[in-house]
Amino acid sequence: MQGFQAAFIIMTLTGALAGCATTPAPSPVAMQGETIRFAAGRCMGACPVYSVTVEPDGSGVLVPEKHTSVPGETRFTVTPQQYRRLRDSLAPFRPATGTEKRIGAGDADCRRMATDMPSYQIRWTWRDQPRTQIDYYGGCHDPQNARLRAAIAAVPRMLDIEPMITPGSNTGKARS
């Protein structure tokens, strides 16, 4: 009878411990797509200077440099819809894979230019493909750049990172 009681106790404890086991958190949803890195550069004023990288699985990281609300690298997530919206809004301006395009002072697409404006860099990377990149000087006000300027201006809202890059917002202390 003692052997039976011992076996019963062991089985009971084993069942109880198994009930306490935790299952691992689900992995991010794997989506095909490129990693998109968006960087806003310096200007002569108090423009936020930062880079944000978004992966197709929804993981993102914001790295502030100057005039932002967060004091350091900040991780965030985006929905699949936000990722697709970002990808699709920037797609018309994406150069051919493995190439870089520049729109800045002295270029044919930058005849009407304001000074002291921020520059922007958008980079697409995917697996072993060479990076694809566009560098745009925000002071290029030629009419053909209007859609690109609008797409760039929409990125913070699209990714819900405006509070992180707006100095003085309630997300954190502004950096300078």
Side-chain angles (χ1 to χ4, degrees):
M1 189 72 163
Q2 277 183 326
F4 175 74
Q5 286 177 328
F8 178 75
I9 291 171
I10 290 173
M11 287 189 326
T12 303
L13 286 174
T14 303
L17 290 173
C20 292
T22 59
T23 56
S27 299
V29 177
M31 267 182 63
Q32 287 289 342
E34 297 172 305
T35 297
I36 301 171
R37 180 181 179 273
F38 174 86
R42 298 175 182 268
C43 71
M44 278 301 275
C47 302
V49 180
Y50 64 95
S51 67
V52 62
T53 303
V54 179
E55 301 288 343
D57 69 1
S59 60
V61 63
L62 178 123
V63 179
E65 187 179 321
K66 194 171 186 169
H67 303 297
T68 65
S69 297
V70 292
E73 185 175 291
T74 304
R75 299 201 175 276
F76 63 95
T77 57
V78 296
T79 65
Q81 293 82 9
Q82 285 174 299
Y83 174 82
R84 283 191 295 271
R85 202 173 329 134
L86 175 68
R87 179 197 63 202
D88 294 349
S89 73
L90 299 175
F93 316 105
R94 185 187 183 283
T97 300
T99 65
E100 295 182 24
K101 181 176 181 177
R102 179 182 177 277
I103 302 172
D107 294 329
D109 288 335
C110 190
R111 301 260 186 237
R112 294 179 56 205
M113 191 179 86
T115 60
D116 305 329
M117 301 297 287
S119 58
Y120 300 93
Q121 182 184 79
I122 305 165
R123 182 182 300 161
W124 296 263
T125 54
W126 190 60
R127 295 187 182 162
D128 294 332
Q129 298 290 322
R131 81 173 180 214
T132 303
Q133 181 172 307
I134 185 167
D135 293 306
Y136 173 69
Y137 175 64
C140 295
H141 288 277
D142 298 69
Q144 66 268 29
N145 298 321
R147 287 182 37 235
L148 175 56
R149 280 194 311 277
I152 286 171
V155 168
R157 270 189 325 279
M158 199 178 299
L159 299 177
D160 291 330
I161 61 168
E162 278 182 308
M164 291 188 266
I165 63 166
T166 305
S169 76
N170 60 7
T171 307
K173 200 171 188 178
R175 290 174 46 121
S176 54

mmCIF file of all heavy atoms in Angstrom, residues 103 109-115 117-118 136-146 149:
data_model
loop_
_atom_site.group_PDB
_atom_site.id
_atom_site.type_symbol
_atom_site.label_atom_id
_atom_site.label_comp_id
_atom_site.label_asym_id
_atom_site.label_seq_id
_atom_site.Cartn_x
_atom_site.Cartn_y
_atom_site.Cartn_z
ATOM 1 N N ILE A 103 18.445 63.372 -54.007
ATOM 2 C CA ILE A 103 17.758 64.591 -54.427
ATOM 3 C C ILE A 103 18.236 65.671 -53.469
ATOM 4 O O ILE A 103 17.868 65.688 -52.292
ATOM 5 C CB ILE A 103 16.224 64.447 -54.361
ATOM 6 C CG1 ILE A 103 15.756 63.295 -55.242
ATOM 7 C CG2 ILE A 103 15.559 65.766 -54.768
ATOM 8 C CD1 ILE A 103 14.275 62.962 -55.093
ATOM 9 N N ASP A 109 16.441 67.595 -59.837
ATOM 10 C CA ASP A 109 15.168 67.595 -59.111
ATOM 11 C C ASP A 109 15.163 68.562 -57.937
ATOM 12 O O ASP A 109 14.270 68.522 -57.092
ATOM 13 C CB ASP A 109 14.845 66.188 -58.596
ATOM 14 C CG ASP A 109 14.434 65.246 -59.712
ATOM 15 O OD1 ASP A 109 13.956 65.728 -60.748
ATOM 16 O OD2 ASP A 109 14.585 64.021 -59.534
ATOM 17 N N CYS A 110 16.170 69.437 -57.859
ATOM 18 C CA CYS A 110 16.257 70.378 -56.738
ATOM 19 C C CYS A 110 16.698 71.755 -57.229
ATOM 20 O O CYS A 110 17.764 72.239 -56.883
ATOM 21 C CB CYS A 110 17.211 69.845 -55.671
ATOM 22 S SG CYS A 110 17.180 70.785 -54.140
ATOM 23 N N ARG A 111 15.842 72.366 -58.001
ATOM 24 C CA ARG A 111 16.145 73.698 -58.530
ATOM 25 C C ARG A 111 15.608 74.794 -57.602
ATOM 26 O O ARG A 111 16.210 75.830 -57.460
ATOM 27 C CB ARG A 111 15.540 73.864 -59.922
ATOM 28 C CG ARG A 111 16.060 72.834 -60.903
ATOM 29 C CD ARG A 111 17.124 73.427 -61.769
ATOM 30 N NE ARG A 111 17.510 72.465 -62.781
ATOM 31 C CZ ARG A 111 18.740 72.032 -62.941
ATOM 32 N NH1 ARG A 111 19.698 72.468 -62.170
ATOM 33 N NH2 ARG A 111 19.027 71.170 -63.879
ATOM 34 N N ARG A 112 14.432 74.547 -56.995
ATOM 35 C CA ARG A 112 13.837 75.489 -56.040
ATOM 36 C C ARG A 112 14.202 74.994 -54.647
ATOM 37 O O ARG A 112 13.666 73.996 -54.176
ATOM 38 C CB ARG A 112 12.322 75.516 -56.195
ATOM 39 C CG ARG A 112 11.874 76.068 -57.536
ATOM 40 C CD ARG A 112 10.368 76.068 -57.670
ATOM 41 N NE ARG A 112 9.774 76.821 -56.558
ATOM 42 C CZ ARG A 112 8.539 76.620 -56.119
ATOM 43 N NH1 ARG A 112 7.769 75.714 -56.667
ATOM 44 N NH2 ARG A 112 8.064 77.334 -55.125
ATOM 45 N N MET A 113 15.107 75.684 -53.988
ATOM 46 C CA MET A 113 15.654 75.156 -52.741
ATOM 47 C C MET A 113 15.614 76.185 -51.615
ATOM 48 O O MET A 113 15.985 77.336 -51.807
ATOM 49 C CB MET A 113 17.092 74.702 -52.965
ATOM 50 C CG MET A 113 17.645 73.910 -51.821
ATOM 51 S SD MET A 113 19.333 73.380 -52.146
ATOM 52 C CE MET A 113 20.216 74.813 -51.579
ATOM 53 N N ALA A 114 15.171 75.736 -50.464
ATOM 54 C CA ALA A 114 15.249 76.518 -49.229
ATOM 55 C C ALA A 114 16.446 75.989 -48.443
ATOM 56 O O ALA A 114 16.769 74.799 -48.505
ATOM 57 C CB ALA A 114 13.969 76.349 -48.419
ATOM 58 N N THR A 115 17.081 76.851 -47.693
ATOM 59 C CA THR A 115 18.250 76.421 -46.919
ATOM 60 C C THR A 115 17.852 76.061 -45.498
ATOM 61 O O THR A 115 16.746 76.354 -45.049
ATOM 62 C CB THR A 115 19.318 77.529 -46.885
ATOM 63 O OG1 THR A 115 18.748 78.687 -46.273
ATOM 64 C CG2 THR A 115 19.815 77.857 -48.279
ATOM 65 N N MET A 117 17.157 73.281 -43.986
ATOM 66 C CA MET A 117 16.106 72.290 -43.785
ATOM 67 C C MET A 117 16.734 70.929 -43.468
ATOM 68 O O MET A 117 17.899 70.691 -43.803
ATOM 69 C CB MET A 117 15.242 72.172 -45.050
ATOM 70 C CG MET A 117 14.583 73.477 -45.470
ATOM 71 S SD MET A 117 13.424 74.096 -44.256
ATOM 72 C CE MET A 117 12.101 72.937 -44.470
ATOM 73 N N PRO A 118 15.985 70.027 -42.845
ATOM 74 C CA PRO A 118 16.533 68.702 -42.536
ATOM 75 C C PRO A 118 16.668 67.845 -43.798
ATOM 76 O O PRO A 118 16.003 68.085 -44.806
ATOM 77 C CB PRO A 118 15.509 68.101 -41.578
ATOM 78 C CG PRO A 118 14.244 68.818 -41.861
ATOM 79 C CD PRO A 118 14.630 70.197 -42.326
ATOM 80 N N TYR A 136 17.128 62.500 -49.473
ATOM 81 C CA TYR A 136 16.344 63.651 -49.915
ATOM 82 C C TYR A 136 16.606 64.835 -48.997
ATOM 83 O O TYR A 136 16.471 64.736 -47.779
ATOM 84 C CB TYR A 136 14.850 63.309 -49.905
ATOM 85 C CG TYR A 136 13.966 64.499 -50.182
ATOM 86 C CD1 TYR A 136 13.931 65.085 -51.447
ATOM 87 C CD2 TYR A 136 13.188 65.052 -49.182
ATOM 88 C CE1 TYR A 136 13.140 66.195 -51.701
ATOM 89 C CE2 TYR A 136 12.383 66.158 -49.426
ATOM 90 C CZ TYR A 136 12.363 66.728 -50.682
ATOM 91 O OH TYR A 136 11.585 67.819 -50.932
ATOM 92 N N TYR A 137 16.987 65.959 -49.581
ATOM 93 C CA TYR A 137 17.148 67.190 -48.816
ATOM 94 C C TYR A 137 15.784 67.861 -48.733
ATOM 95 O O TYR A 137 15.177 68.191 -49.760
ATOM 96 C CB TYR A 137 18.177 68.120 -49.473
ATOM 97 C CG TYR A 137 18.256 69.449 -48.765
ATOM 98 C CD1 TYR A 137 18.686 69.518 -47.437
ATOM 99 C CD2 TYR A 137 17.847 70.614 -49.387
ATOM 100 C CE1 TYR A 137 18.726 70.731 -46.761
ATOM 101 C CE2 TYR A 137 17.885 71.825 -48.718
ATOM 102 C CZ TYR A 137 18.320 71.870 -47.402
ATOM 103 O OH TYR A 137 18.340 73.061 -46.729
ATOM 104 N N GLY A 138 15.281 68.059 -47.517
ATOM 105 C CA GLY A 138 13.946 68.592 -47.300
ATOM 106 C C GLY A 138 13.708 69.995 -47.831
ATOM 107 O O GLY A 138 12.569 70.447 -47.914
ATOM 108 N N GLY A 139 14.748 70.684 -48.215
ATOM 109 C CA GLY A 139 14.601 72.026 -48.765
ATOM 110 C C GLY A 139 14.342 72.047 -50.259
ATOM 111 O O GLY A 139 14.132 73.114 -50.830
ATOM 112 N N CYS A 140 14.342 70.905 -50.912
ATOM 113 C CA CYS A 140 14.070 70.838 -52.351
ATOM 114 C C CYS A 140 12.565 70.961 -52.563
ATOM 115 O O CYS A 140 11.818 70.027 -52.309
ATOM 116 C CB CYS A 140 14.583 69.529 -52.943
ATOM 117 S SG CYS A 140 16.366 69.375 -52.873
ATOM 118 N N HIS A 141 12.137 72.133 -53.020
ATOM 119 C CA HIS A 141 10.707 72.417 -53.139
ATOM 120 C C HIS A 141 10.190 72.384 -54.567
ATOM 121 O O HIS A 141 9.171 72.988 -54.872
ATOM 122 C CB HIS A 141 10.389 73.772 -52.487
ATOM 123 C CG HIS A 141 10.465 73.715 -51.009
ATOM 124 N ND1 HIS A 141 9.441 73.263 -50.219
ATOM 125 C CD2 HIS A 141 11.480 74.018 -50.153
ATOM 126 C CE1 HIS A 141 9.795 73.312 -48.951
ATOM 127 N NE2 HIS A 141 11.035 73.760 -48.878
ATOM 128 N N ASP A 142 10.850 71.665 -55.434
ATOM 129 C CA ASP A 142 10.369 71.525 -56.803
ATOM 130 C C ASP A 142 9.038 70.770 -56.786
ATOM 131 O O ASP A 142 8.834 69.892 -55.942
ATOM 132 C CB ASP A 142 11.392 70.763 -57.651
ATOM 133 C CG ASP A 142 12.706 71.507 -57.730
ATOM 134 O OD1 ASP A 142 13.393 71.591 -56.688
ATOM 135 O OD2 ASP A 142 13.040 72.004 -58.802
ATOM 136 N N PRO A 143 8.136 71.107 -57.690
ATOM 137 C CA PRO A 143 6.803 70.483 -57.690
ATOM 138 C C PRO A 143 6.836 68.955 -57.756
ATOM 139 O O PRO A 143 6.008 68.292 -57.141
ATOM 140 C CB PRO A 143 6.122 71.062 -58.936
ATOM 141 C CG PRO A 143 6.890 72.288 -59.276
ATOM 142 C CD PRO A 143 8.273 72.099 -58.746
ATOM 143 N N GLN A 144 7.795 68.384 -58.463
ATOM 144 C CA GLN A 144 7.852 66.928 -58.588
ATOM 145 C C GLN A 144 8.198 66.228 -57.267
ATOM 146 O O GLN A 144 8.059 65.018 -57.158
ATOM 147 C CB GLN A 144 8.823 66.491 -59.698
ATOM 148 C CG GLN A 144 10.273 66.805 -59.429
ATOM 149 C CD GLN A 144 10.713 68.148 -59.972
ATOM 150 O OE1 GLN A 144 9.917 69.078 -60.086
ATOM 151 N NE2 GLN A 144 11.980 68.254 -60.318
ATOM 152 N N ASN A 145 8.624 66.987 -56.263
ATOM 153 C CA ASN A 145 8.954 66.395 -54.959
ATOM 154 C C ASN A 145 7.819 66.509 -53.945
ATOM 155 O O ASN A 145 7.959 66.054 -52.813
ATOM 156 C CB ASN A 145 10.203 67.062 -54.375
ATOM 157 C CG ASN A 145 11.411 66.851 -55.259
ATOM 158 O OD1 ASN A 145 11.597 65.788 -55.830
ATOM 159 N ND2 ASN A 145 12.235 67.879 -55.388
ATOM 160 N N ALA A 146 6.698 67.089 -54.327
ATOM 161 C CA ALA A 146 5.599 67.319 -53.387
ATOM 162 C C ALA A 146 5.084 66.015 -52.774
ATOM 163 O O ALA A 146 4.854 65.941 -51.557
ATOM 164 C CB ALA A 146 4.460 68.075 -54.065
ATOM 165 N N ARG A 149 7.645 64.703 -50.260
ATOM 166 C CA ARG A 149 7.596 65.499 -49.021
ATOM 167 C C ARG A 149 6.391 65.085 -48.164
ATOM 168 O O ARG A 149 6.497 64.954 -46.946
ATOM 169 C CB ARG A 149 7.529 66.996 -49.330
ATOM 170 C CG ARG A 149 8.854 67.612 -49.683
ATOM 171 C CD ARG A 149 8.815 69.144 -49.656
ATOM 172 N NE ARG A 149 7.708 69.741 -50.377
ATOM 173 C CZ ARG A 149 7.686 69.957 -51.693
ATOM 174 N NH1 ARG A 149 8.732 69.614 -52.434
ATOM 175 N NH2 ARG A 149 6.649 70.525 -52.266
#
